[in-house]
Amino acid sequence: MFNDDHPTNLSGNPHFSDVTRRVVERRQFLRMGSGVAAASFLAGPLSACATLEAIKPPLLGFVGIGASQADTITIAPGYMAQPFVPWGTPLFSEGPGSTWRGDGSESAQDQARQVGDNHDGIHFFPIDGKSSTEGLLVMNHEYTTVVKGQYITLFGPAAAALTSEQVNKAIAAWGCSVIHVRQLPEGEWRVVLDSKYNRRITGATPMKISGPAAGHPLMRTLADPSGTLVLGTLNNCGNGYTPWGTYLTCEENFNNNFGTRLDVKTDTRTVAQKRYGITPGQTPYGWEAHQARFDYKKEPNESNRFGWVVEIDPFDPQSMPIKRTALGRFKHESAAWTLSKDQRVVIYMGDDQADDYIYKFVSDQAYRPGDHAHNRQLLDSGRLYVARFDDGPVQGDFMGTGEWLLLDKQSNPILRDNPQFADQGEVLIHARLAADALGATPMDRPEWVTVHPQTGEVYGTLTNHARRTLVNDANPRAANIYGQIIRWREMGQDASATRFEWDLFVLAGNPTVEGHQGTLKAGSNQINALNTFNSPDGLAFDRFGRLWIETDGNHTGLGPYAQQGNNSLLCADPVTREIRRFMVGPKECEITGITFTPDHRTAFINIQHPGEEGLGASHWPDGGQALPRSATVVIRKNNGGVIGT
Ligand code: FEO
Ligand code: CA
Ligand code: CA
Ligand code: CA
């Protein structure tokens, strides 16, 4: 939303599309379709684990469904989908916010004790580390929907001029929820009201800043001269989690919260503020009129304290969330972990803006199972890299090689000799500028990243780049309106490697337009006609190796989007490349966030912003004339089986 399709990257680094074009010309990628040769990227690693449950056919056991534009959830035959914990759900049975009134009249204090708005990333933590019937559901609340300066649901259908109390309510509707949930014997899931774990973390919750940029002069404000304590987390988009049982929430479009009401004609913005998309004038949310910290002319450093990955320990309700600056500052989409061969923690991350980059963090120290105190320090020191995708040499099953470029002030001479960065703290705070200097590859809006549970191969969504002007064989449209999924394999199958091999898994598209039949951009493959989609965003492997794809794109069903319908949840087989549509969301929503119970018999996904255009098209999930509400959806199989079979 809001400007993420406009590039702010002026570095002139070679665009991914240039690289792809050169590679594809040699490989005749478009003429390969989804045949055996194109599908063999996984053949090497998978052959080593051929006995795993992950590759017992068929990986996709459900019947794929077609598109829909109904204001409801449509799901594959044999499955059920139940709305759960919509915006405003009380977490406590008494006191403020203990009832949902349905008209948006709750106060800021009420909202701070109810489930937040615009659900996004989500993770299920089993209560005892293994339960599939009780756990902590932790989720992001990315923002509140505003159309032409009007909040369309937060204060009810007809909001008046924004008051200070309303700003506080909006801030309370953002952030994260920790919700204790339990499954009844008959299968339905319920909130455990008044649980000691139930917690809202909002845009005003005190949190610590740690890692190399903590206390940096660029992190200090009038309210916090130490540069180590910030109020709130905002724009919590995708997520991650850690093997030590903590949640990672990723701060994305923070620039939309910072504007100015002072002398708009004089542009005081620094190069970095421009690169991060800070825009003069009024913000879409209007908070800067009531709270000085959101006016960048009054508090120029406050925005430097957003755009981080924040670690939350859901099992310690008193714990303060921690912004981990070692992972760099950009518009974080998600954070996908794996381990290197020597057990160091590796986190893959996308920066969701047109022409921005893919990053990875490698911790200095190894993960120690069971040593929580040790593991809680791991994300404070390590190496941050940014990806450069090269065009060859083409060998075997992959399309090109690439290099992870080290964002380190001392050991990388390009940064050491660059006066733009005083120290490593500044490299991390201005990670985009450092990545520009290193020649990282500008991508088509990197969204979620996920790691294959057996092979360690990494997949990432590039949602679209409608303003792209270069035309080439792999992305042959002057504007990439559909997006693609890229995958890479680290050299030596070690996630800490500095080189990798890459391939395109799928170019999304539409077989009904532009004559794409029989090509990889025909909506996924030629295997069935029901799976065409645009704008892949959420992406996650389940533990069996199914790749779940969630879309956040054009849902008009018109023109190039014909037969694509409302945003959808699809599922792919990474070996055969087959993609089937599993579920379709209600009107004007996006599908995002996905997590499974350990037995994979329950999946939780999120429906964000149904009815986001504010024209009354959606009343999901309550129906009638109710305000539309973002909500989680609980997915189960009617026969209690594993999701996806
Ligand atoms: Fe919040 Fe890039 O999606
Ligand atoms: Ca997203
Ligand atoms: Ca979105
Ligand atoms: Ca998106």
Side-chain angles (χ1 to χ4, degrees):
M1 62 171 296
F2 302 130
N3 303 324
D4 42 14
D5 55 346
H6 290 255
T8 64
N9 181 356
L10 306 175
S11 68
N13 291 344
H15 195 277
F16 184 57
S17 54
D18 302 339
V19 174
T20 306
R21 173 178 48 79
R22 294 194 295 271
V23 173
V24 166
E25 281 169 355
R26 284 178 289 148
R27 287 208 43 197
Q28 299 180 311
F29 177 70
L30 295 180
R31 285 187 281 282
M32 292 177 69
S34 60
V36 174
S40 58
F41 187 69
L42 282 164
L46 269 185
S47 59
C49 52
T51 57
L52 283 176
E53 191 177 9
I55 56 167
K56 275 184 193 161
L59 195 58
L60 308 185
F62 64 91
V63 177
I65 61 173
S68 166
Q69 291 190 287
D71 187 34
T72 188
I73 300 267
T74 312
I75 196 163
Y79 283 84
M80 63 182 114
Q82 293 169 321
F84 189 51
V85 295
W87 161 54
T89 299
L91 298 177
F92 304 94
S93 63
E94 291 179 16
S98 55
T99 54
W100 161 254
R101 293 199 280 269
D103 58 2
S105 64
E106 279 82 357
S107 68
Q109 190 186 20
D110 295 335
Q111 176 64 77
R113 288 161 53 88
Q114 297 178 335
V115 171
D117 201 1
N118 281 18
H119 303 34
D120 206 320
I122 187 170
H123 192 73
F124 177 83
F125 293 89
I127 196 74
D128 56 357
K130 57 183 193 298
S131 175
S132 288
T133 58
E134 184 175 356
L136 303 182
L137 204 51
V138 188
M139 71 180 73
N140 291 345
H141 302 292
E142 189 179 20
Y143 65 104
T144 44
T145 305
V146 167
V147 177
K148 294 181 182 157
Q150 288 287 311
Y151 288 75
I152 62 169
T153 54
L154 189 67
F155 314 120
L162 201 60
T163 65
S164 183
E165 159 71 12
Q166 286 176 322
V167 168
N168 286 330
K169 181 177 179 183
I171 290 171
W174 294 38
C176 305
S177 292
V178 179
I179 312 172
H180 189 171
V181 296
R182 190 182 288 145
Q183 192 177 28
L184 301 176
E186 48 275 32
E188 197 176 321
W189 285 82
R190 292 280 171 82
V191 174
V192 181
L193 277 173
D194 305 316
S195 166
K196 67 176 181 182
Y197 297 112
N198 288 349
R199 183 180 185 190
R200 280 300 319 287
I201 291 160
T202 75
T205 302
M207 43 195 77
K208 194 176 150 190
I209 299 167
S210 75
H216 193 278
L218 287 168
M219 300 290 269
R220 298 175 195 162
T221 63
L222 285 172
D224 172 32
S226 76
T228 60
L229 189 71
V230 58
L231 292 182
T233 181
L234 295 171
N235 300 281
N236 307 81
C237 182
N239 72 301
Y241 64 97
T242 66
W244 53 93
T246 61
Y247 183 79
L248 301 177
T249 184
C250 303
E251 298 182 330
E252 194 192 24
N253 299 309
F254 63 89
N255 58 309
N256 293 325
N257 295 89
F258 295 92
T260 186
R261 304 276 176 119
L262 298 176
D263 182 20
V264 176
K265 290 197 191 89
T266 311
D267 189 352
T268 62
R269 292 175 301 160
T270 62
V271 169
Q273 284 175 324
K274 289 179 187 170
R275 181 69 176 85
Y276 281 88
I278 305 288
T279 308
Q282 188 169 336
T283 66
Y285 306 109
W287 302 354
E288 73 286 356
H290 294 274
Q291 299 193 13
R293 68 177 175 131
F294 296 111
D295 189 316
Y296 69 83
K297 285 196 174 177
K298 294 179 181 167
E299 189 46 271
N301 286 345
E302 184 71 358
S303 63
N304 293 336
R305 292 136 66 85
F306 293 85
W308 302 101
V309 173
V310 187
E311 186 176 10
I312 294 168
D313 186 347
F315 290 99
D316 181 358
Q318 308 308 321
S319 63
M320 204 181 257
I322 302 174
K323 299 202 178 191
R324 300 291 187 188
T325 63
L327 278 63
R329 175 171 166 266
F330 41 92
K331 292 191 186 179
H332 280 280
E333 180 72 25
S334 79
W337 74 273
T338 189
L339 296 176
S340 68
K341 280 191 170 167
D342 58 3
Q343 301 297 106
R344 284 178 292 154
V345 180
V346 177
I347 310 267
Y348 295 102
M349 304 169 285
D351 179 355
D352 182 6
Q353 184 138 7
D355 291 343
D356 265 291
Y357 307 131
I358 291 172
Y359 295 79
K360 84 169 173 183
F361 168 84
V362 182
S363 68
D364 284 336
Q365 294 184 56
Y367 165 60
R368 288 191 212 142
D371 188 345
H372 196 68
H374 167 81
N375 296 330
R376 285 281 271 155
Q377 309 303 314
L378 289 176
L379 303 186
D380 273 346
S381 91
R383 297 177 199 192
L384 183 66
Y385 298 91
V386 65
R388 192 190 68 222
F389 290 79
D390 297 330
D391 62 341
V394 174
Q395 296 172 350
D397 305 320
F398 54 90
M399 298 175 72
T401 58
E403 185 168 349
W404 292 107
L405 311 168
L406 182 59
L407 290 153
D408 187 88
K409 174 72 181 170
Q410 296 309 319
S411 57
N412 190 326
I414 296 171
L415 298 177
R416 188 172 57 223
D417 302 336
N418 190 329
Q420 208 176 0
F421 309 99
D423 49 30
Q424 181 63 10
E426 189 159 4
V427 167
L428 295 167
I429 294 164
H430 296 156
R432 280 184 167 183
L433 292 172
D436 292 346
L438 297 186
T441 302
M443 309 294 279
D444 284 356
R445 289 188 57 196
E447 300 242 36
W448 289 52
V449 182
T450 184
V451 183
H452 189 286
Q454 279 86 37
T455 68
E457 283 163 2
V458 192
Y459 287 58
T461 43
L462 302 171
T463 202
N464 57 54
H465 186 347
R467 289 166 197 277
R468 199 158 65 86
T469 53
L470 290 169
V471 174
N472 58 59
D473 285 350
N475 296 287
R477 308 168 187 98
N480 177 9
I481 60 171
Y482 294 123
Q484 65 258 25
I485 298 175
I486 192 170
R487 58 184 175 182
W488 62 91
R489 176 161 72 193
E490 301 279 11
M491 288 295 184
Q493 294 187 54
D494 187 347
S496 69
T498 56
R499 292 197 62 79
F500 59 90
E501 305 162 338
W502 65 268
D503 184 25
L504 285 176
F505 177 61
V506 64
L507 292 166
N510 195 328
T512 66
V513 297
E514 298 180 31
H516 292 156
Q517 289 86 344
T519 77
L520 273 180
K521 64 177 181 291
S524 73
N525 53 42
Q526 318 85 310
I527 295 171
N528 74 66
L530 303 174
N531 61 8
T532 171
F533 65 96
N534 73 85
S535 306
D537 186 337
L539 191 72
F541 278 107
D542 66 25
R543 72 177 170 91
F544 301 98
R546 295 182 197 90
L547 182 67
W548 296 87
I549 304 165
E550 301 175 312
T551 71
D552 172 22
N554 186 299
H555 46 69
T556 58
L558 299 173
Y561 308 106
Q563 297 177 33
Q564 299 192 336
N566 293 349
N567 281 304
S568 299
L569 170 63
L570 304 104
C571 189
D573 180 328
V575 178
T576 65
R577 295 184 193 245
E578 181 179 1
I579 299 176
R580 293 183 194 169
R581 190 185 314 271
F582 179 74
M583 196 198 86
V584 183
K587 285 183 181 292
E588 299 173 17
C589 78
E590 74 171 86
I591 313 283
T592 183
I594 184 165
T595 185
F596 298 87
T597 52
D599 65 6
H600 276 52
R601 292 171 198 275
T602 298
F604 300 93
I605 62 105
N606 280 326
I607 299 294
Q608 189 185 84
H609 62 64
E612 71 164 343
E613 290 167 24
L615 300 173
S618 179
H619 301 283
W620 190 88
D622 301 325
Q625 291 306 305
L627 292 173
R629 293 202 275 172
S630 294
T632 298
V633 170
V634 182
I635 296 170
R636 287 182 293 136
K637 205 169 179 183
N638 294 343
N639 67 7
V642 171
I643 308 299
T645 58

